[in-house]
Each structure stands twice: as C-alpha cells, then as structure tokens.
Amino acid sequence: MRWIPKDSITVVTGASSGIGRCLCELLLDRGATVVAVARRAERLADLASRECPGKLIPVVGDVTDADVRTEILAAAGRVDNGRLDLLVNNAGIGAIGPFEDADEERLRRIMEVNFFAPAELMRHAIPMLRRGRASVICNISSVLGHRAVPDKSEYCASKFALHGLSDSVRAELARDASDGNSIQLTLVSPSTTRSEFFDSLIGSDAETQSKSIGSWPPAKVARATLSAIESRRSEVILSLAGKALVYADRISPPIVNAILAR
Ligand SMILES: NC(=O)c1ccc[n+]([C@@H]2O[C@H](COP(=O)([O-])OP(=O)(O)OC[C@H]3O[C@@H](n4cnc5c(N)ncnc54)[C@H](OP(=O)(O)O)[C@@H]3O)[C@@H](O)[C@H]2O)c1
C-alpha cells in the first residue's frame, strides 16, 4: 500500500521556509490540499499565490498554542468530513552553546516547539487520520535525535524525545493493522540542511556557526521526505554522513565520542 498525494488532505507545520515550504510545494504540485502552518503570514500568502493543481489553506500561528493546534485540525476537518491523510510535524527551532551557560527558558522553548507541540498535534489528529487513506504521520527529527553532540543539548534532547515518542506511538498504531487501515508513523532524520534554521537560533551567540560534514538543500530533503511518506517507511536517516554517524555510534560509541571530542 502506498500513500498517494493526489486529492489527499494534509497538514504541514513550519511551512513558511526551508524543508516545510519545499514539501508544501511538492504536495500542492501533486494535487494535495495542504493546511500550511507558520507564524509568518506573508510567507504563507506567498505560498498560496502559486499556480498549482492542489489547494493551500494557510493557518497563521504558533504551534505551541493549543488554540492554534485546534484551529489547524478544524481547518483540515472542514475539507472532507473530518478526514486527514497526512500530518507532517516539521516546525522546529534550535540553539547552539553550552548547556551550563544557557537558562531554563531556552530548554523549555525548544521542548515546547520541537516536542510538546508535535506530540499534542499528533494525539488530536489520530482520530481524523483513522478516517484517512493509507494515512501517515511524518515527524521531522534529526540525526541528532539518534546521536547527541556537544553544544546542542536542548535540541538533541527534544529530537531524542520525538524519536522515542514516535517509536512508541508507531507500535500502538500498528495494533489497528487487523482492520487493514493502520496509520503509519514515518520518522525522518535529516542532517544539516541549508535552510533559515541557523538564522533563527534562540538564546545563542549571533556569531555561532554549526560544524557539519556536508549539507543538503531543503528541496532535496523535502523530496526524500515525500518519498519516505509515499512508501510509508517507518524511519529514514537521509544523508550518507548522517547514516555513518548513527551506525558508527551503534557499533562503537567510544570511537564516536573520541571523534566528536576533537
Ligand atoms: N536545518 C537543519 O540543519 C536541520 C537538520 C535536521 C533536522 N532539521 C529539522 O527540520 C525541520 C525544519 O527545519 P528547517 O531546516 O526547514 O528550518 P527553517 O527554514 O528555519 O524552518 C522552520 C519552520 O518552522 C516554523 N516554526 C518555527 N517555530 C514555530 C512555531 N513556534 N510555530 C509555528 N511554526 C514555527 C518556521 O516558521 P515561522 O518562523 O514563520 O513560524 C519555519 O517555517 C525542523 O524540525 C528542524 O529541527 C533541520
């Protein structure tokens, strides 16, 4: 069974830039209805102005606000009697710098955006996804949700939490398989992506740069994400460097610790 974009009803958070924006464009081009969520209204208006076979429904707001999450699902529910075929939890933020030097606010904000908001959106979307066609929840994590690195402690914690939650909920949803319509949960773990992500770091030194080996443009991450959704994969680690980091860590954490320490 494959997930088919044409005539699907979808929700994508973090739709105003980077991976989320590119994914919305792909879905719209393939005839999906997309409820696109972000705080920057003008960016969503720009997305809505594109010529495409699909339909865009913008919801302007902060995913950490429970009322906004209710509005997102209400907007999707109005399209076809409360049916939803795809939820993409993509909105995310980061920070760089030692844990010791930061404050509680940085930790709480990152956990709210990257973990609690997608968790609650997922919980409330499940009944609607049960009415969908080959439905998928796609949670955008990171290779840093598999292997933690220094100076990104809050971000790693949030993506590890999303990873653990996703594995558990996927197993719960698989219990519905007997009725032939279980929801798949696809965890996508990109490596460094050349988006606006590093321009909007919170509680971080303005001069801070992220060190990484190789990086992908957001359009490539979006194409790989859509492919994982269409084939209803459980989990994908996207880049070769990301796979190398994760699998080396599984084989020998001390070797990876030594490399990262340098
Ligand atoms: N960039 C990387 O290197 C990288 C690597 C691995 C994983 N990821 C993950 O990929 C996802 C997308 O990131 P990206 O690289 O595409 O970054 P991006 O260009 O900065 O996009 C982030 C999106 O999230 C939205 N957003 C942030 N906080 C929000 C909030 N409170 N409420 C609603 N929307 C919010 C932003 O929109 P507004 O500001 O308009 O609200 C924006 O559309 C994130 O989950 C990130 O953790 C990124």
Side-chain angles (χ1 to χ4, degrees), residues 13-20 37-40 43 61-64 89-93 109 113-114 140-143 155 159 189-198 200 218:
T13 68
S16 60
S17 67
I19 300 165
V37 186
R39 291 164 301 176
R40 286 171 291 180
R43 295 287 192 97
D62 187 322
V63 288
T64 66
N89 276 313
N90 166 74
I93 56 167
R109 182 66 186 161
V113 177
N114 294 3
I140 305 295
S141 180
S142 165
V143 291
Y155 183 75
K159 295 298 187 179
S189 298
S191 301
T192 305
T193 307
R194 297 192 289 278
S195 64
E196 296 173 23
F197 187 82
F198 297 101
S200 48

Coordinates of all heavy atoms in Angstrom, one line a residue, residues 13-20 37-40 43 61-64 89-93 109 113-114 140-143 155 159 189-198 200 218, ligand 1:
T13 N 3.3 21.6 9.3 CA 3.7 22.7 10.1 C 5.1 23.2 9.7 O 5.9 22.4 9.1 CB 3.8 22.3 11.6 OG1 4.8 21.4 11.8 CG2 2.4 21.7 12.1
G14 N 5.4 24.5 10.0 CA 6.7 25.0 9.6 C 6.8 25.2 8.1 O 7.8 24.9 7.4
A15 N 5.7 25.7 7.5 CA 5.5 25.8 6.1 C 6.1 27.0 5.4 O 6.0 27.2 4.2 CB 4.0 25.7 5.7
S16 N 6.6 28.0 6.3 CA 7.0 29.3 5.7 C 8.4 29.3 5.2 O 8.8 30.3 4.5 CB 6.8 30.4 6.8 OG 7.6 30.1 7.9
S17 N 9.2 28.3 5.4 CA 10.6 28.3 4.9 C 11.1 26.9 4.9 O 10.5 25.9 5.4 CB 11.5 29.2 5.7 OG 11.7 28.7 7.0
G18 N 12.3 26.7 4.3 CA 13.1 25.5 4.4 C 12.4 24.3 3.9 O 11.7 24.3 2.9
I19 N 12.5 23.2 4.7 CA 12.0 21.9 4.3 C 10.5 21.9 4.2 O 9.9 21.4 3.3 CB 12.4 20.8 5.4 CG1 14.0 20.7 5.5 CG2 11.8 19.5 5.1 CD1 14.5 20.0 6.7
G20 N 9.8 22.6 5.1 CA 8.4 22.6 5.2 C 7.8 23.3 3.9 O 6.8 22.8 3.3
V37 N 1.0 25.7 8.0 CA 1.1 26.4 9.3 C 2.4 27.0 9.6 O 3.5 26.4 9.4 CB 0.9 25.4 10.5 CG1 0.8 26.1 11.8 CG2 -0.3 24.5 10.2
A38 N 2.4 28.3 10.0 CA 3.6 29.0 10.4 C 3.2 30.3 11.0 O 2.0 30.7 10.9 CB 4.6 29.3 9.2
R39 N 4.1 31.1 11.6 CA 3.8 32.3 12.3 C 3.9 33.5 11.2 O 3.2 34.5 11.4 CB 4.7 32.6 13.4 CG 4.5 31.7 14.6 CD 5.7 31.7 15.6 NE 6.9 31.4 14.9 CZ 8.1 31.4 15.4 NH1 8.3 31.8 16.7 NH2 9.2 31.0 14.7
R40 N 4.7 33.4 10.2 CA 4.9 34.5 9.2 C 3.8 34.4 8.2 O 3.9 33.7 7.2 CB 6.3 34.5 8.7 CG 7.3 34.9 9.7 CD 8.7 34.7 9.1 NE 9.1 33.3 9.1 CZ 10.2 32.8 8.6 NH1 11.2 33.6 8.2 NH2 10.5 31.5 8.6
R43 N 4.7 34.9 4.4 CA 5.3 33.8 3.7 C 4.2 32.8 3.3 O 4.3 32.2 2.2 CB 6.3 33.1 4.7 CG 7.5 33.9 5.1 CD 8.5 34.0 3.9 NE 9.7 34.5 4.4 CZ 10.8 33.8 4.7 NH1 10.7 32.5 4.6 NH2 11.9 34.3 5.1
G61 N 0.0 31.0 12.9 CA 0.0 30.9 14.4 C 1.2 30.1 14.9 O 1.9 29.5 14.1
D62 N 1.3 30.0 16.2 CA 2.4 29.4 16.9 C 1.9 28.0 17.3 O 0.9 27.8 18.0 CB 2.7 30.2 18.1 CG 4.0 29.7 18.8 OD1 4.2 28.5 18.9 OD2 4.8 30.6 19.3
V63 N 2.6 26.9 16.9 CA 2.2 25.6 17.2 C 2.2 25.2 18.7 O 1.6 24.2 19.1 CB 3.1 24.5 16.4 CG1 2.8 24.5 14.9 CG2 4.5 24.7 16.7
T64 N 2.9 26.1 19.5 CA 2.9 25.8 20.9 C 1.6 26.2 21.6 O 1.3 26.0 22.8 CB 4.1 26.5 21.6 OG1 3.9 27.9 21.5 CG2 5.4 26.1 21.0
N89 N 4.7 16.9 11.1 CA 5.2 17.7 12.2 C 6.7 18.2 11.8 O 7.6 17.4 12.0 CB 5.3 16.9 13.5 CG 3.9 16.9 14.2 OD1 3.3 18.0 14.3 ND2 3.5 15.8 14.6
N90 N 6.8 19.3 11.2 CA 8.1 19.8 10.7 C 8.6 21.1 11.5 O 9.8 21.2 11.5 CB 8.0 20.1 9.2 CG 9.1 20.9 8.7 OD1 10.2 20.4 8.5 ND2 8.9 22.2 8.4
A91 N 7.7 21.9 12.0 CA 8.2 23.1 12.6 C 9.2 22.8 13.7 O 9.0 21.9 14.5 CB 7.0 23.9 13.3
G92 N 10.3 23.6 13.7 CA 11.3 23.3 14.7 C 12.3 24.5 14.8 O 12.4 25.3 13.9
I93 N 12.9 24.5 16.0 CA 13.9 25.6 16.3 C 15.1 24.9 17.0 O 15.0 23.8 17.5 CB 13.3 26.7 17.2 CG1 12.8 26.1 18.5 CG2 12.3 27.5 16.5 CD1 12.5 27.1 19.6
R109 N 11.6 26.3 25.8 CA 11.0 26.8 24.5 C 11.3 25.7 23.4 O 10.4 25.4 22.6 CB 11.7 28.1 24.1 CG 11.2 28.7 22.8 CD 9.7 29.1 22.8 NE 9.2 29.5 21.5 CZ 7.9 29.5 21.2 NH1 7.0 29.2 22.0 NH2 7.6 29.9 20.0
V113 N 8.4 23.7 21.3 CA 8.2 23.7 19.8 C 8.5 22.4 19.2 O 7.7 21.9 18.4 CB 9.1 24.8 19.2 CG1 9.0 24.8 17.7 CG2 8.8 26.2 19.7
N114 N 9.6 21.7 19.6 CA 10.1 20.5 18.9 C 9.5 19.2 19.4 O 9.5 18.2 18.8 CB 11.6 20.4 19.0 CG 12.4 21.5 18.3 OD1 11.7 22.4 17.8 ND2 13.7 21.5 18.4
I140 N 9.4 15.1 11.6 CA 10.8 15.5 11.2 C 11.7 15.6 12.4 O 11.5 16.5 13.2 CB 10.8 16.8 10.4 CG1 9.8 16.8 9.2 CG2 12.2 17.1 9.9 CD1 10.1 15.8 8.1
S141 N 12.6 14.6 12.5 CA 13.5 14.6 13.6 C 14.9 15.1 13.1 O 14.9 16.2 12.4 CB 13.6 13.2 14.2 OG 14.5 13.1 15.3
S142 N 15.9 14.4 13.4 CA 17.3 14.8 13.0 C 18.2 13.7 13.3 O 17.9 12.8 14.2 CB 17.7 16.1 13.9 OG 19.1 16.3 13.8
V143 N 19.4 13.7 12.7 CA 20.4 12.6 13.1 C 20.8 12.9 14.5 O 21.2 12.0 15.3 CB 21.7 12.6 12.2 CG1 21.4 12.1 10.8 CG2 22.3 14.0 12.2
Y155 N 18.4 20.9 21.9 CA 17.9 20.4 20.6 C 18.0 18.8 20.5 O 17.0 18.2 20.1 CB 18.8 21.0 19.4 CG 18.3 20.7 18.1 CD1 17.1 21.2 17.5 CD2 19.0 19.7 17.3 CE1 16.7 20.9 16.3 CE2 18.5 19.4 16.0 CZ 17.4 20.0 15.5 OH 17.0 19.7 14.2
K159 N 14.8 16.2 20.1 CA 14.7 15.2 19.0 C 14.8 13.8 19.5 O 14.2 12.9 18.9 CB 15.8 15.5 17.9 CG 15.6 16.9 17.2 CD 14.3 17.0 16.5 CE 14.2 18.3 15.6 NZ 12.9 18.4 14.9
S189 N 15.0 11.7 9.5 CA 16.1 12.3 10.2 C 17.1 12.9 9.2 O 18.0 12.2 8.7 CB 16.8 11.3 11.1 OG 15.9 10.8 12.1
P190 N 16.9 14.2 8.9 CA 17.9 14.9 8.1 C 19.2 15.2 8.8 O 19.2 15.2 10.1 CB 17.2 16.2 7.7 CG 15.8 16.1 8.2 CD 15.8 15.1 9.3
S191 N 20.2 15.4 8.1 CA 21.5 16.0 8.6 C 21.4 17.5 8.4 O 20.3 18.0 8.0 CB 22.7 15.4 7.9 OG 22.7 14.1 8.1
T192 N 22.5 18.2 8.4 CA 22.5 19.7 8.3 C 21.8 20.1 6.9 O 22.2 19.5 5.9 CB 23.9 20.3 8.3 OG1 24.5 19.9 9.6 CG2 23.9 21.8 8.3
T193 N 20.9 21.0 7.0 CA 20.1 21.4 5.8 C 20.3 22.9 5.6 O 20.3 23.7 6.6 CB 18.7 21.1 6.0 OG1 18.6 19.7 6.4 CG2 17.8 21.4 4.8
R194 N 20.5 23.4 4.4 CA 20.8 24.8 4.1 C 19.5 25.6 4.1 O 19.1 26.1 3.1 CB 21.6 25.0 2.8 CG 23.0 24.3 2.9 CD 23.9 24.7 1.7 NE 23.5 24.2 0.4 CZ 23.8 22.9 0.0 NH1 24.4 22.1 0.8 NH2 23.4 22.6 -1.2
S195 N 18.9 25.7 5.3 CA 17.6 26.5 5.4 C 17.9 27.7 6.2 O 19.0 28.1 6.5 CB 16.6 25.6 6.0 OG 17.0 25.3 7.4
E196 N 16.8 28.4 6.7 CA 16.9 29.5 7.6 C 17.1 29.1 9.0 O 17.1 30.0 9.9 CB 15.7 30.4 7.4 CG 15.5 31.0 6.0 CD 14.2 31.7 5.9 OE1 13.6 32.2 6.8 OE2 13.7 31.8 4.7
F197 N 17.2 27.8 9.3 CA 17.3 27.3 10.6 C 18.3 28.0 11.5 O 18.1 28.4 12.6 CB 17.5 25.8 10.5 CG 17.4 25.1 11.8 CD1 16.2 24.7 12.4 CD2 18.6 24.8 12.6 CE1 16.1 24.0 13.6 CE2 18.5 24.1 13.8 CZ 17.3 23.7 14.3
F198 N 19.5 28.2 10.9 CA 20.6 28.7 11.7 C 20.6 30.2 11.8 O 21.3 30.8 12.6 CB 22.0 28.2 11.1 CG 22.1 26.7 11.2 CD1 21.9 25.9 10.1 CD2 22.4 26.1 12.4 CE1 21.9 24.5 10.2 CE2 22.5 24.7 12.5 CZ 22.2 23.9 11.4
S200 N 17.7 31.6 12.9 CA 16.7 31.8 13.9 C 17.0 31.0 15.2 O 16.0 30.6 15.9 CB 15.3 31.5 13.4 OG 15.3 30.3 12.7
P218 N 17.2 22.3 1.2 CA 15.9 21.9 1.7 C 15.0 21.1 0.7 O 14.3 20.2 1.0 CB 15.2 23.2 2.2 CG 16.1 24.3 1.8 CD 17.4 23.7 1.4
Ligands
LIG1 N1 18.3 22.8 9.1 C1 18.9 21.7 9.6 O1 20.2 21.6 9.5 C2 18.1 20.6 10.1 C3 18.7 19.3 10.3 C4 18.0 18.3 10.8 C5 16.6 18.5 11.1 N2 16.0 19.7 10.9 C6 14.6 19.9 11.3 O2 13.9 20.2 10.1 C7 12.7 20.9 10.5 C8 12.6 22.1 9.5 O3 13.7 23.0 9.7 P1 14.3 23.8 8.5 O4 15.7 23.4 8.4 O5 13.4 23.8 7.3 O6 14.3 25.3 9.2 P2 13.6 26.7 8.9 O7 13.8 27.1 7.5 O8 14.1 27.6 10.0 O9 12.1 26.3 9.1 C9 11.5 26.2 10.3 C10 10.0 26.4 10.1 O10 9.3 26.2 11.4 C11 8.5 27.2 11.6 N3 8.3 27.5 13.1 C12 9.3 27.6 14.0 N4 8.8 27.8 15.2 C13 7.4 27.8 15.1 C14 6.4 27.9 15.9 N5 6.5 28.1 17.3 N6 5.1 27.8 15.5 C15 4.9 27.6 14.1 N7 5.9 27.4 13.2 C16 7.1 27.5 13.7 C17 9.1 28.4 10.9 O11 8.1 29.4 10.5 P3 7.8 30.8 11.2 O12 9.1 31.3 11.7 O13 7.1 31.6 10.1 O14 6.8 30.4 12.3 C18 9.6 27.8 9.7 O15 8.6 27.6 8.7 C19 12.9 21.3 11.9 O16 12.1 20.4 12.7 C20 14.4 21.0 12.2 O17 14.6 20.6 13.5 C21 16.7 20.8 10.4

